Amino acid sequence: MPIEIVASDGRFAGVAGDAGAARGAEAGLPRRQAVPMDGDGRAWLELLTPNGGEELRIGEPYEVTWNSGGNIGFVRIEYSTDGGGSWLVIVDGTLDDGAYTWPVDATASESCLVRVSQAADPSVTDSSDWAFTVYEAVDWLSV
């Protein structure tokens, strides 16, 4: 389900997500942007990191961070190594406290995304705006 984008003055500005990307672009908004809906109490999520361009090393901890509003409760965090074509669960049902340390265990890829969703209502979601890289470090041995 797309997320309605509302400008700071309260006017409807478009819809984010795949279905609303064109309407959001016409309004000058980036793709997949989550915007808080002030005053109406609806739940919302905004993924902060990783949001694109980062380089994460396999086996190293990485802090996934997000903002939220409304009554979220618990979140599900997933990752994709194919630009969002398929998703794998990082954690299912962690407390909505704005951060989760992920021991990066993804397959190496330059097309990675992270998605955070409300555990009780997966339509309340946000994902990385741009791809990031997951890489495996190579330890060189000199002889």
Side-chain angles (χ1 to χ4, degrees), residues 20-98:
R23 286 176 37 200
E26 290 172 8
L29 299 169
R31 187 170 183 261
R32 299 181 189 257
Q33 180 180 356
V35 175
M37 307 296 283
D38 295 333
D40 66 5
R42 285 192 284 177
W44 58 270
L45 289 162
E46 176 187 27
L47 182 70
L48 300 176
T49 60
N51 208 28
E54 297 88 350
E55 295 185 354
L56 284 58
R57 182 177 174 173
I58 295 173
E60 295 286 320
Y62 182 84
E63 189 169 53
V64 176
T65 61
W66 65 92
N67 284 330
S68 63
N71 186 16
I72 296 292
F74 293 90
V75 298
R76 175 181 209 175
I77 304 172
E78 301 164 285
Y79 72 94
S80 172
T81 57
D82 60 6
S86 60
W87 296 91
L88 298 167
V89 175
I90 295 172
V91 63
D92 195 5
T94 189
L95 186 63
D96 173 33
D97 60 5

Side-chain angles (χ1 to χ4, degrees), residues 97-109:
D97 60 5
Y100 180 82
T101 302
W102 174 29
V104 179
D105 59 354
T107 304
S109 171

